[in-house]
Amino acid sequence: MSGMGARNDGQLGNSPIMPTMLSANDIQSVAVRSRFALFVKTDGSLWAFGENGDGQLGDGTWTDRSTPVQVATGVASVSAGEAHTLFVKTDGSLWAMGYNSHGQLGDGTTTDRNTPVQVVATGVASVSAGGYHTLFLKTDGSLWAMGDNEYGQLGDGTTTDRSTPVQVATGVASVA
């Protein structure tokens, strides 16, 4: 995998001196936004690089990274919102980090996090982060949402922001 585009916040994952090439055989999945990116390697390690002013890289700093930094292990999938990140671990737990002004991390607060916080302990199949909201699917087919709900984008019948997950549907097969 090689990157193309701007490098002002390190989002290409290479230094100005030496380009970095990542083997496609080592990459399981990727998640990108305009100023940061993450990838899960086939060994389950989660790596992040780019803009980190809101802690969305989850490396314990607020520092932009021009080279990938390892964030977690045992990761199955990752999703990136506007300035927040969520990932599902192989044990079915859901973790979140980054910007949290609307409660999109689902940890019961609106506090930004620069290290991953556990949101759900087990049973999460997949996650999809929106601009300032998040939806995740549990293995039982229930769909849950949290975060910004100004336009009813959480699907819970209200326009109230949610800082903890609220169930919005059952019998769901997948979340894009």
Side-chain angles (χ1 to χ4, degrees):
M1 175 173 104
S2 62
M4 299 182 299
R7 183 175 59 210
N8 54 319
D9 288 312
Q11 58 268 42
L12 294 185
N14 57 31
S15 72
I17 298 168
M18 179 173 46
T20 300
M21 181 70 86
L22 301 169
S23 169
N25 294 332
D26 294 333
I27 307 298
Q28 176 179 303
S29 63
V30 298
V32 298
R33 290 306 279 195
S34 62
R35 304 190 103 190
F36 70 103
L38 305 102
F39 61 91
V40 178
K41 292 180 73 173
T42 54
D43 67 3
S45 60
L46 176 63
W47 297 78
F49 52 93
E51 197 272 330
N52 193 33
D54 295 300
Q56 63 267 39
L57 301 185
D59 68 348
T61 75
W62 309 101
T63 305
D64 298 347
R65 299 292 183 175
S66 61
T67 57
V69 59
Q70 186 173 345
V71 178
T73 59
V75 176
S77 63
V78 63
S79 185
E82 183 63 29
H84 70 292
T85 302
L86 294 103
F87 60 91
V88 178
K89 293 190 90 173
T90 54
D91 65 3
S93 59
L94 178 64
W95 297 76
M97 58 227 186
Y99 190 61
N100 196 26
S101 66
H102 298 280
Q104 59 267 41
L105 301 185
D107 68 350
T109 76
T110 55
T111 303
D112 296 350
R113 306 289 183 177
N114 67 3
T115 57
V117 293
Q118 188 175 39
V119 180
V120 178
T122 62
V124 176
S126 62
V127 64
S128 185
Y132 300 102
H133 66 293
T134 304
L135 282 84
F136 65 90
L137 179 64
K138 294 192 79 173
T139 54
D140 65 5
S142 61
L143 180 64
W144 298 74
M146 57 225 186
D148 183 22
N149 200 22
E150 181 179 0
Y151 304 103
Q153 61 265 45
L154 298 185
D156 68 350
T158 76
T159 55
T160 303
D161 289 359
R162 305 291 183 174
S163 64
T164 57
V166 58
Q167 186 174 345
V168 295
T170 59
V172 178
S174 68
V175 175

